Amino acid sequence: MKLKYIVFASLFLFVITLQAQIDRTQQPKPGPSPTISLEVPYTFQLKNGMKVLVVENHKLPKVSYSLRIDNAPIYDGDKAGISGILAAMLGNGTTTISKDAFNEEVDFLGAQMNFGSNSAFASSLTKYSERILELMADAAINPLFVEEEFQKEKEKALEGLKSNKKSVDAVASRVSNALSYGKKHPYGEFTTEETLNNITLDNVRSYYQKYFNPTNAYLVVVGDVSISEVKKTVNKYFKNWEKGLDLTTNITASTPNLPTTQINFVDMPNAVQSSIEFTNNVNLKMSDADYHAVLLANYILGGGGEGYLFLNLREDKGYTYGSYSSISPNKYVGNFSATASVRNAVTDSSVVAMLSEIKRIRTEKVTAERLRDAKAKYVGSFVLALESPETIARYALNVEINDLPADFYKNYLNKINAVTADDIMRVANKYFKADQGRIVIVGKGSEVIPNLEKTGIPIKYYDEYANPVEKPVFSKPIPNGVTVTTVIDDYFKAIGGKDKAKTVKTVSATANVTVDGVPFPLSASIKTMVPNKESMEMTAPGMGKLMAQKFNGTTGYSEQQGMRKDLTAEEIADKKAERSIFPELDFTQENSSLESVVSIDGVDHYKVKTMKGDDAVYNFYSTETGLLTQTESKEDMQGQEVTNVVTYSNYQEVNGVKLPFVTKIKVGPQNLVINSTTVKVNEDVIDADFN
Amino acid sequence: MKKQLFVLASLTFGVLTSTAQEVKFEEYKLDNGMHVILHKDNSAPVVTTSVMYHVGAKDENPERTGFAHFFEHLLFEGTKNIQRGDWFKIVAANGGQNNANTTDDRTYYYEVFPSNNLELGLWLESERLMHPVINQIGVDTQNEVVKEEKRLRVDNQPYGNLLAEVKERLFIKHPYKGTTIGKLEHLDAATLEEFKAFNKKYYIPNNAVLVVAGDIDIASTKKMIKDYFGPIQKGEPIVRNLPQEDPITQPLTGTAYDSNIQIPAVIAAYRTPSFKSRDAYVLDMISTYLSGGKSSVLYKKLVDEQKQALAVQAVNISQEDYGIYALFALPLGEVSLETLVAEMDEEIVKLKSDLISEKDYQKLQNIAENNFVSSNSSISGVANSLARYYMLYGNTNLINTEIDIIRSITREDIKAVANKYLNPNQRLILEYLPKKDDK
């Protein structure tokens, strides 16, 4: 009996220890859900239309006031930047308080106050809360506009533009908005030096009068206040704010989405990372039935550290510090965007990875686990946000501004929980336009373009202000030990040696020539003689001589279909100054310089600069073969500057010297290809050929 | 008698309001040396669990910089009971948020959850400390991530290397001369064994403080803490013997270049004492006086009235062992950097020779009180402050009493501290210039 008893006791003990020992191999289960109480702010309206929302919270002896004017987006056009100037000028004094006295008092109270072009915010300790409200109202209703302050703010705005000029992020955001919405849309326009310089103080004043008024205004009061006190003070300080005129704003339609996905590239040689943004516009409002499903779909794709994008680009591949997506519902036009800043070498792979994840959420049903986790995240965020009394005010304001049903937030968690996996796929297809997106990339072209081209996605090039440009020539750093002398030495080695080059006195070529837009074959006879004599004659079968260009060392002319034009003194001087055969023989460290390494058709070239009169001429030598493959110069044609690009290829040996048999000339839009059939060195050329 | 009672009641009431924002907390140690701080606030169903480790960039081997920050990444890779890649998933799937950060002095990890997930938060943090998985896959992955972080936060940012350039010149011996993010080549060269050794040395309960703050029940929370953290082994006590700096006695100058900027900057930087010293609080006040708000002395003079600067800032970047007091300005238009320094110096000289006005003094006190009140506005903010005050200042209750230190500072103190530290022969003048494409 006794034995039995002991066994029993030890069993009992055992059980107790088991219960005390937590099992840390198992993730702890959540306790019962905490109860949520959603307060409703007290609201009232002033006669001038301003609505006031009050949330009492006495945890800290502080009060905050935030004013928001809910106007439609405003297009500033040739005065873009005016809203920024207004914002900077507001909150700096009133018609009865000087700027210095105003700022001094705000600071003295230990308070904060700042203004936007359609908003204002102030906060202070409870003991100074009435005075700070009075100051804020006075600054909003009776702002101080003086020329000196205006000039100062304009100057600062100009300087701000300058300081952001090389910022990859600033350029990326500007170009992305301009291309997505269009430069004529309020969301797509941007500020430049020119638009800032167009703005006058009168413009700012009338902008304020037109847009900064109480008709669409909301004042949110949060903190250690009593409702009766707020009613009294708000009425006292804001009742004199006069109603403005009714606003009807016409907003230009935003740019439609693209028919097929393309890359829009901006070259910034200083970039150490590429900024990538996939974007398309969406028609999505908070009041839409799809809203909750879209929130979850975006979260699953790229809402955080558990999104498809993050898990692929950061966790799996380590391409980036983070890759995320966002979707902004908007009363006017919304936007979906997926972004990553990645190192140059993986720019193309990152684009491919981002696209594949966007396609995945459109074609692959989300797992029950992921969907459950996404819902838990939204439920959690909703609960966590309740810690801040501002949340309740924000919810109430959203209901007002976005025309939501009064029970929107009461039903919020139910709506989130009701979303299905089919809903996710459906809204992903509707709002994440994988096949109609714009991939805006800002980065170092020389390092990223060759691989981006291999993705097969069409690439369009833009400058830093979203203007379309030709594909730029990208430069790379010059390796140690390479100078203009070594480049030219290598060039001579490649063609057969400098001594050999010096023995070449004349070159004579016959060639087939094709010219864009000329439907019949042309043939040419091209002759050159040291030091600078040149002759070119072009004929067409059955039509005889079409044109000729001659220079005999002292004079020359060009002749087209019988019309002869003598060379000008300036042209003669240019011709005299330059060797017609191997001008490199005259290159020295004094008259030429090695500029950079650039990639041409995937091959690195040394870019060498020489001067022809006042104009720069650039020669490009292949780093692989040493040969000259391209020259580039600017030419003035009928008052317009055109770039003249000549490329050389198909080098063949003639009498021990390599010469290009194919020469392509591109002058402005015109293309000309010279295909040599025979090339002779020191043969068949006499002085008279150049007259 | 009745009347008297009423007076007494209102008196009590008065006392209550003035201490209404007192942060109540309870602290104790586990047997393994881990310090625990609990703060109960049931006003919203939210709880923060956080652990601060007394390890930062200054504790690194000079040939292996970046380790402390690297661990902030590595210790999310998984543990014996948490699969690699599951950490963030678990937190999010339970409606939580989490993050971590590193300074030269300490590393801090935290989660914020709806309060029914308190146990989950404790489990996560105890797993991280008890048996993290440190393997080559994790090291390789996080190595790439840290490199991207550096490009993003430092190399691609205008003025991103400014602080590094200042630290490198102001500190000669002390590890504050390096950056928190460290040198990438050090991380590349580090072996798995070195990472494991670092973990063994610094990630021990007797080098950590756990804070649980928010909607909690004290008794059951204590039990859970004991269950999850109690079994973790104590480590070897850490002995710190960091080199001391010799005083700066001659002016230092330097030039640095940044390819991400168009507008140059000039910095006048002074080496100052630890944030634990009373003088550091005075220097904070001097910063507010010089550049806090539109009515501050330097903003008003250089940006507003004389239009010489695009921006001007005085900051006291104070840490556990030393601080940096820096004046920073961007010129407007053609104004030279020398002019900016001269203009800033003029105000420092005034601080050193005259007392600031009574009104300015009252303003500084008001601003400090506002900051003090605001700093306790979120539960996660309170948790961070409790951990910091305990670990780095050695006095948890500073969360309530710091305002008394500030109130005790006089105008005479401000003058004396300016004279003690802000002298031209004790500082660095750094010109931070745009890098031209050909440089």
Side-chain angles (χ1 to χ4, degrees):
Chain A
M1 192 67 200
K2 196 160 190 199
L3 191 76
K4 217 176 177 182
Y5 176 71
I6 290 168
V7 171
F8 217 106
S10 64
L11 248 180
F12 188 63
L13 260 176
F14 186 56
V15 173
I16 289 195
T17 18
L18 249 190
Q19 273 177 343
Q21 195 81 46
I22 48 152
D23 178 7
R24 57 183 315 133
T25 64
Q26 295 301 310
Q27 179 184 326
K29 297 269 179 297
S33 294
T35 34
I36 293 167
S37 60
L38 210 52
E39 283 174 61
V40 179
Y42 179 82
T43 54
F44 62 95
Q45 191 167 17
L46 300 192
K47 287 201 184 94
N48 58 19
M50 183 172 90
K51 287 187 179 162
V52 186
L53 293 80
V54 189
V55 178
E56 260 191 83
N57 186 300
H58 302 285
K59 196 166 157 184
L60 297 174
K62 282 198 72 170
V63 183
S64 75
Y65 303 97
S66 85
L67 175 72
R68 170 159 169 189
I69 302 170
D70 183 40
N71 290 328
I74 300 158
Y75 175 65
D76 297 335
D78 66 350
K79 297 189 172 57
I82 189 168
S83 56
I85 304 252
L86 173 64
M89 292 189 72
L90 289 174
N92 280 301
T94 75
T95 46
T96 51
I97 308 176
S98 78
K99 178 184 155 187
D100 282 351
F102 188 92
N103 291 334
E104 181 70 49
E105 187 171 357
V106 171
D107 285 351
F108 178 81
L109 298 174
Q112 272 96 41
M113 189 184 304
N114 44 62
F115 275 77
S117 62
N118 54 11
S119 65
F121 174 85
S123 76
S124 77
L125 295 171
T126 311
K127 57 184 170 184
Y128 302 126
S129 60
E130 181 173 349
R131 180 58 183 159
I132 204 74
L133 178 70
E134 184 180 8
L135 286 170
M136 174 173 144
D138 196 13
I141 302 169
N142 309 301
L144 184 63
F145 289 122
V146 290
E147 185 65 30
E148 193 199 343
E149 289 304 313
F150 167 70
Q151 288 302 340
K152 217 184 302 180
E153 291 306 337
K154 194 152 111 176
E155 187 86 351
K156 273 200 257 174
L158 285 166
E159 205 70 17
L161 279 184
K162 191 174 152 196
S163 71
N164 257 336
K165 215 165 184 172
K166 282 182 156 185
S167 157
V168 171
D169 293 341
V171 169
S173 128
R174 176 169 65 217
V175 171
S176 172
N177 287 335
L179 295 177
S180 297
Y181 299 108
K183 291 183 189 173
K184 299 266 177 222
H185 190 277
Y187 296 164
E189 69 174 336
F190 52 79
T191 307
T192 64
E193 283 183 26
E194 199 189 335
T195 63
L196 281 176
N197 283 320
N198 285 338
I199 302 168
T200 65
L201 180 59
D202 275 343
N203 296 147
V204 176
R205 198 177 284 124
S206 52
Y207 186 97
Y208 164 81
Q209 269 151 9
K210 191 168 171 194
Y211 298 113
F212 207 98
N213 63 58
T215 319
N216 298 317
Y218 298 86
L219 179 70
V220 176
V221 185
V222 177
D224 186 20
V225 292
S226 77
I227 285 171
S228 59
E229 193 66 17
V230 170
K231 274 179 102 165
K232 204 176 82 193
T233 51
V234 168
N235 203 37
K236 182 169 165 196
Y237 298 119
F238 277 98
K239 69 172 182 227
N240 291 330
W241 195 7
E242 281 164 30
K243 255 187 170 161
L245 299 172
D246 272 346
L247 282 179
T248 40
T249 336
N250 286 322
I251 304 170
T252 315
S254 58
T255 307
N257 283 325
L258 294 163
T260 56
T261 294
Q262 61 172 237
I263 291 172
N264 295 167
F265 190 84
V266 180
D267 183 36
M268 288 189 74
N270 64 313
V272 300
Q273 275 186 324
S274 299
S275 154
I276 307 175
E277 178 181 17
F278 175 97
T279 176
N280 60 258
N281 293 343
V282 296
N283 179 9
L284 176 71
K285 298 177 183 61
M286 279 187 85
S287 51
D288 288 350
D290 283 342
Y291 174 72
H292 302 84
V294 174
L295 283 188
L296 291 173
N298 175 67
Y299 177 76
I300 291 164
L301 173 64
E306 316 75 40
Y308 289 178
L309 291 171
F310 192 94
L311 291 177
N312 184 335
L313 278 91
R314 169 161 162 175
E315 293 299 300
D316 187 29
K317 311 256 172 59
Y319 289 160
T320 175
Y321 188 60
S323 178
Y324 306 97
S325 65
S326 67
I327 188 153
S328 26
N330 188 294
K331 280 197 274 188
Y332 307 97
V333 52
N335 174 268
F336 166 70
S337 144
T339 57
S341 285
V342 306
R343 61 181 189 275
N344 297 342
V346 297
T347 306
D348 54 313
S349 316
S350 301
V351 168
V352 171
M354 284 170 82
L355 278 177
S356 83
E357 295 302 337
I358 299 172
K359 284 182 180 149
R360 177 175 160 208
I361 197 167
R362 288 160 52 100
T363 52
E364 190 184 298
K365 201 183 255 194
V366 63
T367 63
E369 190 198 357
R370 277 185 195 279
L371 181 59
R372 190 194 65 215
D373 290 354
K375 288 176 178 176
K377 174 74 188 178
Y378 270 85
V379 173
S381 300
F382 192 81
V383 173
L384 298 194
L386 294 176
E387 190 196 332
S388 154
E390 279 81 11
T391 300
I392 301 198
R394 184 163 49 86
Y395 288 170
L397 193 59
N398 266 336
V399 168
E400 291 272 350
I401 284 177
N402 291 297
D403 307 318
L404 306 178
D407 56 2
F408 182 86
Y409 285 100
K410 215 175 138 202
N411 291 335
Y412 181 89
L413 292 180
N414 289 338
K415 289 260 170 86
I416 288 282
N417 282 321
V419 173
T420 67
D422 288 331
D423 289 334
I424 298 293
M425 201 192 283
R426 179 180 58 77
V427 298
N429 277 281
K430 190 168 166 190
Y431 298 99
F432 310 161
K433 303 278 188 194
D435 306 321
Q436 289 180 271
R438 189 185 293 282
I439 307 172
V440 179
I441 304 178
V442 181
K444 188 172 186 175
S446 59
E447 290 182 15
V448 308
I449 283 296
N451 283 325
L452 269 181
E453 284 174 333
K454 289 180 197 151
T455 62
I457 305 166
I459 305 178
K460 288 199 172 165
Y461 296 87
Y462 292 87
D463 68 10
E464 291 154 24
Y465 297 90
N467 299 306
V469 293
E470 288 291 313
K471 179 180 172 182
V473 178
F474 304 112
S475 65
K476 295 179 183 177
I478 300 163
N480 278 341
V482 176
T483 64
V484 69
T485 316
T486 68
V487 171
I488 299 306
D489 285 352
D490 287 349
Y491 163 72
F492 281 120
K493 267 181 220 149
I495 63 165
K498 199 168 185 173
D499 290 342
K500 199 76 198 171
K502 283 180 180 163
T503 66
V504 177
K505 302 295 174 198
T506 67
V507 177
S508 153
T510 55
N512 295 321
V513 178
T514 52
V515 181
D516 276 358
V518 178
F520 43 82
L522 300 165
S523 50
S525 162
I526 304 159
K527 295 180 177 182
T528 44
M529 181 188 273
V530 290
N532 47 27
K533 295 174 194 175
E534 290 175 15
S535 157
M536 174 164 168
E537 292 181 2
M538 220 182 273
T539 53
M543 296 166 82
K545 193 161 81 176
L546 286 181
M547 63 155 282
Q549 284 182 350
K550 307 257 176 182
F551 179 70
N552 65 8
T554 44
T555 60
Y557 62 91
S558 67
E559 190 183 289
Q560 242 174 352
Q561 291 165 317
M563 298 279 290
R564 178 177 159 138
K565 217 178 112 206
D566 286 333
L567 293 182
T568 63
E570 200 184 332
E571 287 165 330
I572 290 171
D574 278 354
K575 296 259 182 209
K576 270 187 179 173
E578 195 189 37
R579 259 178 201 272
S580 52
I581 304 171
F582 304 128
E584 285 85 355
L585 286 169
D586 290 337
F587 284 13
T588 63
Q589 276 186 317
E590 285 69 42
N591 66 18
S592 55
S593 58
L594 177 55
E595 297 287 296
S596 57
V597 179
V598 298
S599 177
I600 302 175
D601 296 331
V603 177
D604 285 352
H605 283 73
Y606 296 118
K607 182 178 181 183
V608 172
K609 178 184 178 183
T610 55
M611 297 304 291
K612 186 172 167 184
D614 290 338
D615 301 319
V617 179
Y618 298 99
N619 285 7
F620 298 86
Y621 301 90
S622 163
T623 60
E624 289 172 9
T625 64
L627 295 170
L628 172 72
T629 57
Q630 185 168 311
T631 65
E632 212 180 278
S633 56
K634 298 254 194 268
E635 213 167 296
D636 198 52
M637 273 174 94
Q638 285 127 28
Q640 287 222 317
E641 191 176 75
V642 293
T643 307
N644 198 336
V645 179
V646 185
T647 62
Y648 305 97
S649 57
N650 192 18
Y651 274 83
Q652 294 183 27
E653 197 175 309
V654 184
N655 290 4
V657 187
K658 277 188 180 166
L659 293 167
F661 272 50
V662 177
T663 305
K664 292 181 188 165
I665 302 170
K666 187 170 159 36
V667 184
Q670 190 102 52
N671 283 302
L672 195 114
V673 181
I674 302 170
N675 219 323
S676 303
T677 47
T678 59
V679 178
K680 293 176 180 170
V681 167
N682 297 342
E683 272 186 82
D684 283 352
V685 182
I686 55 168
D687 281 334
D689 289 333
F690 301 97
N691 286 320
Chain B
M1 192 65 202
K2 206 168 182 192
K3 201 176 167 189
Q4 229 174 355
L5 247 176
F6 181 72
V7 171
L8 239 160
S10 68
L11 254 179
T12 337
F13 186 68
V15 171
L16 275 178
T17 17
S18 70
T19 55
Q21 53 153 338
E22 184 189 343
V23 178
K24 294 219 169 68
F25 62 88
E26 183 179 340
E27 54 186 333
Y28 60 98
K29 271 199 171 24
L30 297 180
D31 291 343
N32 57 18
M34 187 166 206
H35 196 81
V36 180
I37 306 174
L38 305 179
H39 164 63
K40 181 175 155 172
D41 177 344
N42 303 106
S43 58
V46 176
V47 67
T48 294
T49 49
S50 73
V51 182
M52 185 176 280
Y53 294 91
H54 204 174
V55 56
K58 71 165 179 237
D59 298 305
E60 294 159 353
N61 168 356
E63 300 305 314
R64 289 290 180 268
T65 61
F67 258 48
H69 171 253
F70 193 79
F71 265 78
E72 175 207 320
H73 286 259
L74 200 56
L75 293 186
F76 282 101
E77 280 283 311
T79 75
K80 197 174 159 195
N81 295 314
I82 300 172
Q83 291 291 302
R84 176 166 191 262
D86 276 1
W87 190 288
F88 297 108
K89 230 167 97 181
I90 293 171
V91 172
N94 287 282
Q97 292 165 2
N98 70 311
N99 216 329
N101 52 62
T102 313
T103 70
D104 288 352
D105 298 323
R106 95 293 180 279
T107 313
Y108 186 63
Y109 302 83
Y110 68 92
E111 291 81 35
V112 185
F113 278 112
S115 50
N116 58 334
N117 270 315
L118 165 63
E119 189 178 354
L120 181 66
L122 293 172
W123 177 69
L124 286 164
E125 285 306 334
S126 67
E127 281 287 303
R128 173 167 14 234
L129 174 56
M130 194 169 186
H131 36 223
V133 173
I134 295 174
N135 60 21
Q136 201 59 48
I137 307 171
V139 166
D140 291 345
T141 309
Q142 294 306 328
N143 194 2
E144 290 302 318
V145 173
V146 168
K147 283 179 184 169
E148 284 318 303
E149 184 182 0
K150 181 163 188 283
R151 290 188 187 99
L152 183 81
R153 295 251 175 94
V154 181
D155 298 340
N156 233 17
Q157 284 304 324
Y159 308 100
N161 271 308
L162 205 154
L163 184 60
E165 300 282 356
V166 171
K167 290 172 82 182
E168 180 183 298
R169 291 170 174 84
L170 220 47
F171 295 98
I172 316 299
K173 298 178 185 168
H174 190 278
Y176 284 168
K177 68 187 175 196
T179 59
T180 309
I181 203 150
K183 293 205 167 86
L184 297 183
E185 57 268 29
H186 290 175
L187 292 176
D188 285 339
T191 64
L192 191 58
E193 291 319 307
E194 288 176 294
F195 287 114
K196 286 184 170 165
F198 192 86
N199 184 65
K200 193 176 168 206
K201 182 168 180 190
Y202 292 106
Y203 281 84
I204 52 178
N206 40 327
N207 192 39
V209 54
L210 166 72
V211 181
V212 181
D215 182 24
I216 57 171
D217 167 72
I218 296 281
S220 60
T221 303
K222 279 184 174 171
K223 178 170 185 308
M224 278 188 262
I225 290 172
K226 193 170 181 226
D227 289 344
Y228 282 102
F229 289 89
I232 301 172
Q233 287 286 310
K234 190 171 188 153
E236 282 294 314
I238 295 163
V239 183
R240 280 189 185 76
N241 206 355
L242 294 175
Q244 303 256 328
E245 290 289 343
D246 300 322
I248 300 173
T249 52
Q250 292 301 316
L252 304 169
T253 55
T255 311
Y257 296 93
D258 185 336
S259 62
N260 297 311
I261 62 168
Q262 293 259 332
I263 299 172
V266 68
I267 300 96
Y270 305 80
R271 200 197 296 145
T272 53
S274 157
F275 51 35
K276 286 183 277 191
S277 72
R278 189 166 176 278
D279 287 353
Y281 291 95
V282 183
L283 285 162
D284 279 337
M285 268 195 169
I286 294 181
S287 298
T288 309
Y289 176 77
L290 290 175
S291 74
K294 289 179 188 168
S295 73
S296 63
V297 168
L298 288 179
Y299 181 89
K300 213 166 131 183
K301 173 173 161 182
L302 292 179
V303 179
D304 208 37
E305 284 167 5
Q306 299 180 188
K307 295 170 198 68
Q308 291 169 311
L310 183 63
V312 60
Q313 192 74 48
V315 283
N316 185 31
I317 309 165
S318 215
Q319 304 202 79
E320 192 179 13
D321 295 348
Y322 292 102
I324 297 172
Y325 191 85
L327 296 157
F328 163 91
L330 299 181
L332 192 63
E334 301 302 312
V335 175
S336 75
L337 299 182
E338 294 78 17
T339 309
L340 287 179
V341 173
E343 295 287 352
M344 294 193 287
D345 276 349
E346 201 177 275
E347 298 310 316
I348 302 273
V349 168
K350 281 186 204 160
L351 266 178
K352 287 158 73 171
S353 50
D354 309 322
L355 291 179
I356 64 168
S357 71
E358 280 288 357
K359 197 178 169 203
D360 278 335
Y361 174 75
Q362 188 52 49
K363 175 172 96 173
L364 294 179
Q365 289 291 345
N366 281 341
I367 292 172
E369 187 183 350
N370 196 354
N371 292 344
F372 177 74
V373 167
S374 307
S375 66
N376 294 337
S377 61
S378 76
I379 293 287
S380 58
V382 167
N384 191 337
S385 297
L386 288 169
R388 183 178 67 247
Y389 288 129
Y390 163 73
M391 180 166 276
L392 304 179
Y393 290 74
N395 176 6
T396 318
N397 200 35
L398 271 177
I399 197 165
N400 294 312
T401 58
E402 201 169 45
I403 189 71
D404 301 333
I405 300 178
I406 293 164
R407 286 190 179 132
S408 78
I409 294 169
T410 62
R411 296 193 295 155
E412 286 74 16
D413 289 334
I414 291 173
K415 185 177 162 189
V417 165
N419 275 297
K420 188 167 171 192
Y421 299 103
L422 306 183
N423 298 313
N425 65 338
Q426 290 174 312
R427 73 172 176 195
L428 161 75
I429 299 285
L430 178 71
E431 303 203 333
Y432 195 81
L433 308 175
K435 188 177 192 174
K436 298 285 178 330
D437 295 337
D438 53 357
K439 267 185 196 148

